[in-house]
Amino acid sequence: MSDESLREPTPEPATLSTLLARAARSAAGECGVWDVHRHLSWRALRAQAANLAQALRAHGVEPGARVAFYLEPSVEQAVVLFGTAGAGAVAVPINPKLRDGQVAHVLQHSGARVVVTSRDKLAFLADPAAVFAGCTRVVAGSGGADDLAAWTQPHRDAARLARTDVEPTAPAVLLYTSGSTGLPKGIVQDHRNLVDGARIVSAYLGLGSDDRILGVLPVSFDYGLNQLLDAAWLGCDVGLVTYFTRNDLVDAVERHAATVLAGVPPMWAALGDGLRTGKVDARRLRTLRVVTNSGGRLHRREIATLRQALPDVQVFSMYGLTEAFRSSFLPPDELDRRPDSIGKAIPEVELLVVDPTTGAECGPDEVGELVHAGALVAQGYWRDPAATARRFRPHPLDPRRGTAVFSGDLVRRDADGFLYFVARADAQLKVAGHRVAPDEIEVVLNAVPGVAQAVVVGLEDETRSDTRVIACVQAAGAEAELEARVQAACKRALPAYMVPAEVRLVGGIPTGANGKPDREALRRQLAEERR
């Protein structure tokens, strides 16, 4: 691609392609995206994304078609995301932790025509041919006929990318997340929401073009995707890396002189334990200046540890939901006074606390459902109008103010306007920052020979600042080694964060008046046994 094609005027970003153009034009030097293997400046990334966009169109991918990627954190993820946008198609990032069944569901449900993956991810699956059936499979770094570089090579000599203009309200990504029940749902986020999210979040966090963001969360997670898009908005460096232990995390921060780190409660719990015990030297984290938490409650123990070990770091506690990207944040100067609060609405967003029965707005300290209105509301669930109608509804106080997201989370607001999370209104669990639908695990459990009935519940694990998934299994008869077989089946079929931490054989499952399993009674029973 010629230099001239990269020098066109850059409008105020409203789509992913114009966001990338802004980054390529404004970034200093070699700032861009890096992983453990390589680095691409924003300018070079834009050129590679343009090549991929041309290749997608040449292979018959039309505007609105879906292009999936099942990759470990890498530069290739950014190339595919922006290349898909350049072709006017819709990106479908798949969590690299997912196994055969979940990956196949996402591909089939989204109707993806092309999927970009890697040799490592192919080896991770039990039957990749079955999983990718019906899709054109392109493999990054394969060196074979389906290699991503070879797939795009014939289109590299084009002097100028033939533009595919999309409206800011056109779908940009499908983010798959577990709903309250059933298999994961695809949430439709448009271009404007993604760009506005980057603009708003990077502003209230006080980020700048000289920051170095370390992205350790999957880009299939809205929180992880936002790290990449914030960096594009700012034109700063961002690393997409995998970490397995807290030592890996500390090594990555130190090696890349990261200034910004986003995490979920289990990550901060592990890091906090290392800082308290001396197994992590706080001096190795000295480049950090902003850390953020979402995906669950940041416990007081971790807050105190971070404040003591890293006194110059600003700690932001945040709350968001994939259906609305980001909803609230607690300013760092309020953290000591209100450590349990999820803060107030982010700029351009209105948060309401609504009585689920009457629909009226709740008063101070009354518990109600959190409702998100204003900016960043998603378009709904892909190919699921019934679920969309349940969650995306008219503004509860004035329908003329547009669509709002009813979160399903119960919260309260204090007299000063600060919000506090109380509980989920449904059975959904939050594990390692991921939404987990218990019945998705139960499908695997109940398929194991010897299991009469299985129910999954979650117990809060204070030591890990996370939810501990417990599988309560009623055996069909005298079954030797049933617990071990259940665990083995889960490890084969489920991503690691969904595998039960404990399998408990029970004599019976309590039921409610409607005959359905009484999860709350079971949870109380387990909690009592632990005391």
Side-chain angles (χ1 to χ4, degrees):
M1 174 169 289
S2 71
D3 285 346
E4 290 303 315
S5 65
L6 295 174
R7 290 177 181 164
E8 60 207 32
T10 305
E12 184 67 18
T15 67
L16 291 184
S17 292
T18 54
L19 177 65
L20 181 58
R22 169 193 169 107
R25 188 178 72 166
S26 65
E30 291 300 304
C31 282
V33 183
W34 43 266
D35 59 27
V36 294
H37 300 297
R38 65 178 181 135
H39 172 274
L40 274 185
S41 69
W42 286 111
R43 186 180 179 84
L45 194 153
R46 188 183 180 212
Q48 289 200 17
N51 293 334
L52 177 59
Q54 293 182 68
L56 289 169
R57 288 200 297 269
H59 285 85
V61 174
E62 299 178 351
R66 276 73 61 204
V67 175
F69 57 91
Y70 179 57
L71 295 161
E72 49 281 292
S74 59
V75 168
E76 281 75 21
Q77 289 184 320
V79 172
V80 178
L81 175 73
F82 287 109
T84 299
V90 182
V92 185
I94 302 176
N95 190 327
K97 297 177 182 178
L98 297 187
R99 294 284 189 174
D100 292 55
Q102 294 82 31
V103 176
H105 166 74
V106 171
L107 293 174
Q108 292 164 11
H109 187 266
S110 67
R113 291 193 53 190
V114 175
V115 59
V116 181
T117 187
S118 69
R119 287 176 292 184
D120 286 345
K121 297 317 298 177
L122 288 173
F124 184 67
L125 296 172
D127 189 353
V131 170
F132 297 129
C135 293
T136 297
R137 186 176 72 189
V138 185
V139 183
S142 70
D146 58 357
D147 180 64
L148 179 62
W151 206 67
T152 59
Q153 181 63 44
H155 313 282
R156 289 174 185 258
D157 297 329
R160 179 181 292 272
L161 172 65
R163 296 181 64 89
T164 299
D165 293 323
V166 297
E167 292 296 322
T169 54
V173 297
L174 298 185
L175 297 176
Y176 274 81
T177 181
S178 290
S180 57
T181 60
L183 290 167
K185 294 178 172 62
I187 296 170
V188 183
Q189 282 286 6
D190 62 40
H191 287 263
R192 186 181 298 282
N193 269 1
L194 298 180
V195 175
D196 283 351
R199 172 179 58 81
I200 294 169
V201 173
S202 58
Y204 75 68
L205 293 180
L207 306 186
S209 60
D210 56 347
D211 274 309
R212 291 176 61 82
I213 299 173
L214 184 63
V216 298
L217 303 170
V219 297
S220 57
F221 183 14
D222 61 303
Y223 188 23
L225 177 59
N226 186 245
Q227 308 310 304
L228 173 60
L229 300 183
D230 282 359
W233 176 266
L234 299 165
C236 73
D237 257 342
V238 59
L240 302 178
V241 300
T242 300
Y243 82 97
F244 298 101
T245 68
R246 68 184 174 208
N247 290 333
D248 296 332
L249 181 65
V250 174
D251 287 345
V253 170
E254 186 175 44
R255 184 167 60 251
H256 300 292
T259 62
V260 181
L261 179 62
V264 292
M267 187 183 95
W268 299 122
L271 188 62
D273 178 72
L275 290 167
R276 287 189 295 273
T277 60
K279 295 178 181 177
V280 171
D281 185 346
R283 291 173 295 182
R284 299 184 64 195
L285 304 172
R286 64 184 179 276
T287 58
L288 289 175
R289 70 174 198 87
V290 173
V291 302
T292 66
N293 175 76
S294 191
R297 180 180 298 170
L298 184 61
H299 287 281
R300 295 185 181 211
R301 178 184 61 243
E302 270 58 71
I303 293 172
T305 299
L306 290 171
R307 300 285 266 187
Q308 182 176 2
L310 305 169
D312 296 326
V313 172
Q314 289 190 302
V315 181
F316 286 82
S317 182
M318 306 191 301
Y319 165 91
L321 57 158
T322 311
E323 291 86 350
F325 216 64
R326 183 69 57 240
S327 296
S328 71
F329 79 99
L330 184 71
D333 58 6
E334 291 283 351
L335 196 59
D336 291 333
R337 282 202 300 164
R338 310 173 195 273
D340 298 326
S341 174
I342 59 173
K344 295 183 179 181
I346 68 171
E348 302 176 41
V349 163
E350 178 188 17
L351 295 182
L352 304 166
V353 182
V354 175
D355 186 308
T357 303
T358 66
E361 192 167 12
C362 294
D365 290 322
E366 292 179 350
V367 175
E369 183 175 5
L370 185 143
V371 177
H372 175 123
L376 310 184
V377 174
Q379 293 187 0
Y381 297 111
W382 180 252
R383 293 178 172 171
D384 196 339
T388 299
R390 287 193 297 269
R391 183 61 63 89
F392 295 85
R393 309 206 296 270
H395 191 292
L397 304 184
D398 184 355
R400 294 172 298 180
R401 289 156 69 178
T403 300
V405 179
F406 287 68
S407 69
D409 287 338
L410 299 178
V411 301
R412 65 176 179 86
R413 195 193 306 268
D414 69 17
D416 295 322
F418 288 88
L419 295 161
Y420 296 80
F421 179 83
V422 176
R424 282 291 302 172
D426 54 33
Q428 190 181 82
L429 308 176
K430 234 3 174 357
V431 182
H434 299 274
R435 292 189 195 180
V436 173
D439 59 350
E440 192 175 350
I441 304 173
E442 290 164 6
V443 167
V444 175
L445 298 174
N446 285 307
V448 177
V451 173
Q453 186 181 16
V455 174
V456 169
V457 296
L459 292 180
E460 189 170 357
D461 185 341
E462 291 283 352
T463 62
R464 297 178 61 245
S465 293
D466 201 10
T467 300
R468 185 176 177 83
V469 178
I470 311 295
C472 299
V473 174
Q474 182 179 356
E479 287 287 339
E481 300 181 347
L482 181 58
E483 293 178 50
R485 290 193 291 109
V486 165
Q487 281 284 19
C490 289
K491 289 177 181 178
R492 286 193 303 270
L494 299 170
Y497 64 86
M498 292 177 68
V499 174
E502 181 181 342
V503 175
R504 178 74 65 87
L505 294 182
V506 297
I509 303 292
T511 59
N514 58 7
K516 295 181 180 180
D518 189 336
R519 298 178 193 274
E520 184 57 28
L522 196 54
R523 191 195 66 79
R524 288 196 302 268
Q525 178 182 320
L526 293 172
E528 285 293 329
E529 292 174 2
R530 289 184 178 277
R531 290 185 182 142

